Amino acid sequence: MQYLRKRAGLNQHQLGDAIGYSLEQVASVEQGRRPAKAAFTAAERALEAGGVLEALQGEVDRAKLPRFFRNFALFEAEAVSRFDYEPSLVPGLLQTEAYARALFAGHCPPLNEEAIDRHTEARLGRQKLLTRVPLAELSFIIGEEALRNPVGGKEVMRGQWQHLMELGALRNMEIQIMPAACGSHPGLNGPFVVLETKDHQHLGYIESQEVGCVVHNPAEVSAFGLRYGKLRSQALNGVESLRLIERLAGET
């Protein structure tokens, strides 16, 4: 970045004016102290970078993600299918900005505002998968408790319920709710993801307390798939799930 700026004969202040960044923000990006926002690719035009910065944007976006998640993010971005079971929270790919920001604001130890902005932007950036072409086959099973937990307050949850109803209309998307009173089921040990890569390799992913693990062992991934199939049969179907979300929205 610094090389391209100097080649263009600009100082940091001039580049900032050209792309809507402050002097401090330009300096932070050049020194690697903060990843560039997607809008920073406007520097392509100002610096006549010939596509160099745009080509690097994917790497920059991944740098905003938590370190433990980055390996899985490489597979996720190009997934053919992704099946997600999440009992306690609305899955990250389905979160509204307000919901995600409320979660990061409650992080322990506390995050500063810049970190909250960065993590929120990174999470929303991952949501390109939902409408990416070619479409990925997506399935989400969400615990009813996750929908009833008022993360961020009533207004945030109202927006989140509405967002889920809109996403449920996508033809590559299935959202199911696991009832709170379902009893014993294969998801009681915690959340997990089953993913098929563009090379048709099947992977699993588990995460807890900011520790993530990509599972490659075929036998273990097969067990994940069997559990997910069982969960789909025990959860509410798509229509029933939509009705439950609508009912929750109507109660507020």
Side-chain angles (χ1 to χ4, degrees), residues 4-195:
L4 292 170
R5 174 178 59 76
K6 290 182 176 180
R7 188 187 68 174
L10 301 174
N11 59 36
Q12 291 178 338
H13 183 76
Q14 290 169 324
L15 177 58
D17 286 345
I19 63 175
Y21 260 47
S22 69
L23 175 64
E24 190 279 330
Q25 287 173 315
V26 173
S28 292
V29 171
E30 286 192 359
Q31 295 167 21
R33 290 187 279 117
R34 63 184 296 176
K37 295 184 178 181
F40 202 77
T41 52
E44 280 281 352
R45 296 186 295 275
L47 299 179
E48 298 182 359
V52 172
L53 297 179
E54 184 177 357
L56 290 173
Q57 189 62 52
E59 294 296 325
V60 172
D61 290 342
R62 279 188 289 276
K64 301 173 190 174
L65 295 167
R67 194 174 297 275
F68 68 83
F69 187 77
R70 291 176 192 168
N71 285 343
F72 183 69
L74 290 170
F75 297 113
E76 180 186 73
E78 298 182 335
V80 173
S81 67
R82 188 187 189 282
F83 299 164
D84 188 325
Y85 169 66
E86 177 54 73
S88 303
L89 295 169
V90 174
L93 287 175
L94 307 183
Q95 291 174 9
T96 63
E97 179 177 353
Y99 186 98
R101 191 173 293 277
L103 288 176
F104 290 125
H107 188 274
C108 182
L111 301 173
N112 60 37
E113 288 301 318
E114 181 178 326
I116 291 173
D117 288 344
R118 184 172 68 250
H119 287 311
T120 301
E121 181 184 3
R123 179 159 295 178
L124 298 179
R126 288 173 51 218
Q127 296 177 2
K128 296 172 185 175
L129 175 64
L130 305 182
T131 54
R132 184 211 67 200
V133 178
L135 292 173
E137 184 70 25
L138 303 170
S139 171
F140 297 87
I141 302 174
I142 309 170
E144 182 180 345
E145 297 92 336
L147 298 183
R148 293 188 179 277
N149 185 16
V151 172
K154 290 183 178 181
E155 286 301 316
V156 171
M157 287 308 300
R158 187 178 292 111
Q160 182 63 70
W161 293 324
Q162 182 62 42
H163 187 57
L164 289 174
M165 288 187 283
E166 293 169 358
L167 291 176
L170 297 177
R171 59 191 179 90
N172 62 320
M173 173 89 69
E174 182 176 42
I175 297 175
Q176 294 178 259
I177 307 303
M178 180 63 72
C182 183
S184 179
H185 61 74
L188 294 180
N189 287 335
F192 64 94
V193 175
V194 182
L195 179 146

